[in-house]
Each structure stands twice: as C-alpha cells, then as structure tokens.
C-alpha cells in the first residue's frame, strides 16, 4: 500500500468519526484548528553574548 492510499484510508476513518460527533464537539474541534492556524511560532531564545577577553 502506498502512502496516498494510507492517507485516504485515515481520512475516511476520520470523516466517519466526525459524523458521530455532536454540534458542541464539532465546534470545539473547529475552534481548536482555527486557533492552531492563528498561533505564532515561538520566538527564538536570545543568545547570550560571548565574553571577549580584553587585550592589553
């Protein structure tokens, strides 16, 4: 089985599962997905400057 057939099977199983959810559960999932799309990636941590030795 190639990857696309596997993904299609998963998609069909997910669609069947979603059909069984009530409206409140569907709304929760839609909000969760919308929030994930709007989320900003975490800012990279600031790097500490390396101390340089003084030249005399």
């Amino acid at each position: 089985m190639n990857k696309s057939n596997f993904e299609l099977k998963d998609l069909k199983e997910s669609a069947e599962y979603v059909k069984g959810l009530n409206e409140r559960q569907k709304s929760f999932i839609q909000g969760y997905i919308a929030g994930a799309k709007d989320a900003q990636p975490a800012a990279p941590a600031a790097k500490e400057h390396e101390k340089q030795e003084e030249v005399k």
Side-chain angles (χ1 to χ4, degrees):
M1 181 182 325
N2 65 28
K3 186 177 178 183
S4 62
N5 286 344
F6 180 73
E7 290 172 355
L8 182 59
K9 181 182 176 205
D10 287 348
L11 183 60
K12 287 179 181 179
E13 288 176 3
S14 296
E16 288 299 318
Y17 176 77
V18 170
K19 286 180 185 178
L21 297 176
N22 64 38
E23 289 304 312
R24 185 174 176 201
Q25 292 168 322
K26 288 179 186 178
S27 292
F28 174 80
I29 292 172
Q30 288 172 339
Y32 187 86
I33 292 170
K37 286 181 181 178
D38 293 340
Q40 296 292 323
K47 293 183 179 178
E48 186 176 322
H49 294 292
E50 294 181 19
K51 294 181 181 179
Q52 296 180 353
E53 294 181 28
E54 291 183 24
V55 179
K56 293 185 179 183

